[in-house]
Short mmCIF file of all heavy atoms in Angstrom, two decimals:
data_model
loop_
_atom_site.label_atom_id
_atom_site.label_comp_id
_atom_site.label_asym_id
_atom_site.label_seq_id
_atom_site.Cartn_x
_atom_site.Cartn_y
_atom_site.Cartn_z
N MET A 157 -20.65 93.58 9.95
CA MET A 157 -21.53 94.06 11.02
C MET A 157 -21.55 95.58 11.10
O MET A 157 -22.55 96.18 11.49
CB MET A 157 -21.08 93.46 12.36
CG MET A 157 -21.26 91.95 12.43
SD MET A 157 -20.60 91.23 13.98
CE MET A 157 -21.79 91.86 15.17
N LYS A 158 -20.45 96.22 10.72
CA LYS A 158 -20.42 97.68 10.67
C LYS A 158 -21.31 98.20 9.54
O LYS A 158 -22.01 99.21 9.68
CB LYS A 158 -18.99 98.17 10.47
CG LYS A 158 -18.06 97.99 11.65
CD LYS A 158 -16.67 98.53 11.34
CE LYS A 158 -15.71 98.29 12.49
NZ LYS A 158 -14.34 98.80 12.18
N ILE A 159 -21.26 97.49 8.41
CA ILE A 159 -22.07 97.91 7.26
C ILE A 159 -23.55 97.69 7.52
O ILE A 159 -24.39 98.52 7.16
CB ILE A 159 -21.63 97.12 6.00
CG1 ILE A 159 -20.18 97.50 5.63
CG2 ILE A 159 -22.56 97.40 4.82
CD1 ILE A 159 -19.59 96.66 4.53
N LYS A 160 -23.89 96.57 8.17
CA LYS A 160 -25.28 96.23 8.46
C LYS A 160 -25.42 95.92 9.95
O LYS A 160 -25.32 94.77 10.37
CB LYS A 160 -25.72 95.03 7.62
CG LYS A 160 -27.19 94.66 7.73
CD LYS A 160 -27.55 93.51 6.78
CE LYS A 160 -28.99 93.06 6.99
NZ LYS A 160 -29.98 94.14 6.75
N PRO A 161 -25.64 96.95 10.77
CA PRO A 161 -25.66 96.78 12.22
C PRO A 161 -26.71 95.78 12.71
O PRO A 161 -26.56 95.19 13.79
CB PRO A 161 -25.96 98.18 12.73
CG PRO A 161 -25.45 99.11 11.65
CD PRO A 161 -25.74 98.37 10.38
N ASP A 162 -27.81 95.59 11.96
CA ASP A 162 -28.85 94.68 12.40
C ASP A 162 -28.64 93.26 11.87
O ASP A 162 -29.51 92.40 11.97
CB ASP A 162 -30.23 95.18 11.97
CG ASP A 162 -30.37 95.31 10.44
OD1 ASP A 162 -29.34 95.28 9.75
OD2 ASP A 162 -31.51 95.43 9.97
N LEU A 163 -27.46 93.01 11.32
CA LEU A 163 -27.13 91.68 10.79
C LEU A 163 -27.25 90.63 11.89
O LEU A 163 -26.77 90.82 13.00
CB LEU A 163 -25.71 91.71 10.23
CG LEU A 163 -25.18 90.51 9.43
CD1 LEU A 163 -24.05 90.96 8.53
CD2 LEU A 163 -24.67 89.41 10.35
N LYS A 164 -27.91 89.52 11.58
CA LYS A 164 -28.09 88.48 12.59
C LYS A 164 -27.98 87.07 12.03
O LYS A 164 -27.37 86.19 12.65
CB LYS A 164 -29.48 88.64 13.24
CG LYS A 164 -29.69 87.76 14.46
CD LYS A 164 -28.76 88.15 15.61
CE LYS A 164 -29.03 87.30 16.85
NZ LYS A 164 -28.07 87.60 17.95
N ARG A 165 -28.51 86.83 10.83
CA ARG A 165 -28.62 85.47 10.30
C ARG A 165 -27.52 85.21 9.27
O ARG A 165 -27.40 85.90 8.26
CB ARG A 165 -30.02 85.28 9.67
CG ARG A 165 -31.15 85.49 10.69
CD ARG A 165 -32.52 85.46 10.02
NE ARG A 165 -32.83 84.16 9.43
CZ ARG A 165 -33.27 83.12 10.13
NH1 ARG A 165 -33.46 83.23 11.44
NH2 ARG A 165 -33.53 81.97 9.53
N VAL A 166 -26.72 84.17 9.53
CA VAL A 166 -25.53 83.90 8.73
C VAL A 166 -25.62 82.51 8.09
O VAL A 166 -25.89 81.52 8.78
CB VAL A 166 -24.25 84.00 9.56
CG1 VAL A 166 -23.02 83.77 8.70
CG2 VAL A 166 -24.18 85.36 10.25
N ALA A 167 -25.34 82.45 6.79
CA ALA A 167 -25.22 81.18 6.09
C ALA A 167 -23.74 80.92 5.80
O ALA A 167 -23.03 81.82 5.34
CB ALA A 167 -26.00 81.20 4.78
N VAL A 168 -23.28 79.72 6.08
CA VAL A 168 -21.88 79.36 5.90
C VAL A 168 -21.79 78.27 4.83
O VAL A 168 -22.47 77.25 4.92
CB VAL A 168 -21.26 78.86 7.21
CG1 VAL A 168 -19.82 78.41 6.99
CG2 VAL A 168 -21.33 79.95 8.28
N LEU A 169 -20.94 78.52 3.83
CA LEU A 169 -20.74 77.54 2.76
C LEU A 169 -19.27 77.26 2.60
O LEU A 169 -18.45 78.19 2.63
CB LEU A 169 -21.32 78.06 1.43
CG LEU A 169 -22.83 78.36 1.42
CD1 LEU A 169 -23.11 79.79 1.85
CD2 LEU A 169 -23.40 78.14 0.01
N TYR A 170 -18.90 75.96 2.41
CA TYR A 170 -17.48 75.66 2.30
C TYR A 170 -17.23 74.42 1.44
O TYR A 170 -18.11 73.55 1.30
CB TYR A 170 -16.85 75.48 3.68
CG TYR A 170 -17.22 74.21 4.41
CD1 TYR A 170 -16.42 73.08 4.36
CD2 TYR A 170 -18.41 74.14 5.16
CE1 TYR A 170 -16.76 71.93 5.05
CE2 TYR A 170 -18.75 73.00 5.84
CZ TYR A 170 -17.94 71.89 5.78
OH TYR A 170 -18.27 70.74 6.46
N ALA A 171 -16.03 74.37 0.86
CA ALA A 171 -15.61 73.23 0.04
C ALA A 171 -15.11 72.11 0.95
O ALA A 171 -14.03 72.23 1.54
CB ALA A 171 -14.52 73.65 -0.95
N GLN A 172 -15.87 71.05 1.04
CA GLN A 172 -15.55 69.99 1.99
C GLN A 172 -14.38 69.13 1.55
O GLN A 172 -13.78 68.41 2.36
CB GLN A 172 -16.78 69.11 2.21
CG GLN A 172 -17.25 68.37 0.98
CD GLN A 172 -18.43 67.47 1.28
OE1 GLN A 172 -18.60 66.99 2.40
NE2 GLN A 172 -19.28 67.24 0.28
N ASN A 173 -13.99 69.18 0.27
CA ASN A 173 -12.88 68.35 -0.22
C ASN A 173 -11.55 69.09 -0.21
O ASN A 173 -10.57 68.60 -0.76
CB ASN A 173 -13.19 67.84 -1.63
CG ASN A 173 -13.29 68.96 -2.66
OD1 ASN A 173 -13.74 70.06 -2.33
ND2 ASN A 173 -12.89 68.69 -3.88
N ASP A 174 -11.50 70.26 0.40
CA ASP A 174 -10.27 71.04 0.48
C ASP A 174 -9.93 71.28 1.95
O ASP A 174 -10.74 71.84 2.70
CB ASP A 174 -10.45 72.38 -0.25
CG ASP A 174 -9.24 73.26 -0.14
OD1 ASP A 174 -8.15 72.85 -0.60
OD2 ASP A 174 -9.35 74.37 0.41
N ALA A 175 -8.72 70.88 2.36
CA ALA A 175 -8.32 70.97 3.76
C ALA A 175 -8.34 72.41 4.27
O ALA A 175 -8.77 72.69 5.38
CB ALA A 175 -6.94 70.37 3.96
N PHE A 176 -7.87 73.33 3.42
CA PHE A 176 -7.85 74.74 3.85
C PHE A 176 -9.26 75.24 4.07
O PHE A 176 -9.56 75.86 5.10
CB PHE A 176 -7.15 75.60 2.78
CG PHE A 176 -7.56 77.05 2.85
CD1 PHE A 176 -7.16 77.83 3.91
CD2 PHE A 176 -8.39 77.60 1.88
CE1 PHE A 176 -7.56 79.17 4.00
CE2 PHE A 176 -8.78 78.92 1.96
CZ PHE A 176 -8.37 79.70 3.03
N SER A 177 -10.17 75.00 3.14
CA SER A 177 -11.54 75.50 3.26
C SER A 177 -12.24 74.90 4.48
O SER A 177 -12.99 75.57 5.19
CB SER A 177 -12.32 75.19 1.99
OG SER A 177 -11.74 75.83 0.88
N SER A 178 -11.98 73.61 4.70
CA SER A 178 -12.59 72.93 5.86
C SER A 178 -12.06 73.49 7.17
O SER A 178 -12.78 73.57 8.17
CB SER A 178 -12.32 71.42 5.78
OG SER A 178 -12.94 70.87 4.64
N SER A 179 -10.79 73.89 7.19
CA SER A 179 -10.21 74.51 8.37
C SER A 179 -10.69 75.94 8.54
O SER A 179 -11.07 76.36 9.62
CB SER A 179 -8.68 74.49 8.27
OG SER A 179 -8.09 75.21 9.32
N GLU A 180 -10.73 76.67 7.42
CA GLU A 180 -11.12 78.07 7.48
C GLU A 180 -12.57 78.23 7.93
O GLU A 180 -12.88 79.13 8.72
CB GLU A 180 -10.95 78.71 6.10
CG GLU A 180 -11.31 80.20 6.07
CD GLU A 180 -11.24 80.76 4.66
OE1 GLU A 180 -12.12 80.41 3.84
OE2 GLU A 180 -10.33 81.55 4.39
N THR A 181 -13.46 77.35 7.47
CA THR A 181 -14.87 77.50 7.85
C THR A 181 -15.08 77.33 9.35
O THR A 181 -15.96 77.97 9.94
CB THR A 181 -15.76 76.50 7.07
OG1 THR A 181 -17.13 76.88 7.26
CG2 THR A 181 -15.56 75.08 7.54
N VAL A 182 -14.26 76.50 9.99
CA VAL A 182 -14.35 76.35 11.44
C VAL A 182 -14.05 77.69 12.12
O VAL A 182 -14.74 78.11 13.06
CB VAL A 182 -13.39 75.26 11.95
CG1 VAL A 182 -13.35 75.24 13.48
CG2 VAL A 182 -13.79 73.90 11.41
N THR A 183 -13.02 78.38 11.61
CA THR A 183 -12.66 79.70 12.14
C THR A 183 -13.81 80.68 11.95
O THR A 183 -14.17 81.44 12.86
CB THR A 183 -11.40 80.23 11.45
OG1 THR A 183 -10.32 79.35 11.71
CG2 THR A 183 -11.05 81.63 11.95
N PHE A 184 -14.40 80.68 10.76
CA PHE A 184 -15.51 81.59 10.50
C PHE A 184 -16.70 81.28 11.41
O PHE A 184 -17.33 82.18 11.97
CB PHE A 184 -15.95 81.49 9.03
CG PHE A 184 -15.22 82.44 8.11
CD1 PHE A 184 -14.53 81.94 7.01
CD2 PHE A 184 -15.22 83.80 8.32
CE1 PHE A 184 -13.87 82.81 6.15
CE2 PHE A 184 -14.57 84.67 7.48
CZ PHE A 184 -13.89 84.18 6.38
N GLN A 185 -17.01 79.99 11.55
CA GLN A 185 -18.17 79.63 12.38
C GLN A 185 -17.94 79.99 13.84
O GLN A 185 -18.88 80.40 14.55
CB GLN A 185 -18.46 78.13 12.22
CG GLN A 185 -18.99 77.80 10.82
CD GLN A 185 -19.32 76.33 10.66
OE1 GLN A 185 -20.08 75.77 11.44
NE2 GLN A 185 -18.76 75.69 9.64
N GLU A 186 -16.70 79.87 14.31
CA GLU A 186 -16.39 80.28 15.69
C GLU A 186 -16.52 81.78 15.84
O GLU A 186 -17.03 82.28 16.86
CB GLU A 186 -14.99 79.83 16.07
CG GLU A 186 -14.85 78.31 16.24
CD GLU A 186 -13.43 77.86 16.51
OE1 GLU A 186 -12.51 78.72 16.36
OE2 GLU A 186 -13.23 76.69 16.86
N ALA A 187 -16.08 82.53 14.81
CA ALA A 187 -16.19 84.01 14.85
C ALA A 187 -17.66 84.43 14.87
O ALA A 187 -18.04 85.35 15.61
CB ALA A 187 -15.47 84.61 13.65
N VAL A 188 -18.47 83.77 14.07
CA VAL A 188 -19.91 84.08 14.04
C VAL A 188 -20.53 83.89 15.43
O VAL A 188 -21.28 84.74 15.92
CB VAL A 188 -20.62 83.19 13.00
CG1 VAL A 188 -22.14 83.25 13.17
CG2 VAL A 188 -20.23 83.60 11.59
N LYS A 189 -20.19 82.78 16.06
CA LYS A 189 -20.71 82.50 17.40
C LYS A 189 -20.21 83.51 18.42
O LYS A 189 -20.99 84.04 19.22
CB LYS A 189 -20.30 81.08 17.82
CG LYS A 189 -20.82 80.67 19.18
CD LYS A 189 -20.39 79.25 19.51
CE LYS A 189 -20.89 78.83 20.89
NZ LYS A 189 -20.46 77.43 21.23
#
Side-chain angles (χ1 to χ4, degrees):
M157 294 175 69
K158 290 181 183 179
I159 295 172
K160 186 176 174 60
D162 61 345
L163 188 157
K164 190 65 177 176
R165 301 173 64 81
V166 182
V168 177
L169 299 89
Y170 72 96
Q172 63 178 332
N173 63 327
D174 177 60
F176 157 69
S177 298
S178 297
S179 174
E180 182 185 71
T181 192
V182 173
T183 298
F184 271 124
Q185 291 181 54
E186 289 175 350
V188 167
K189 182 179 179 180

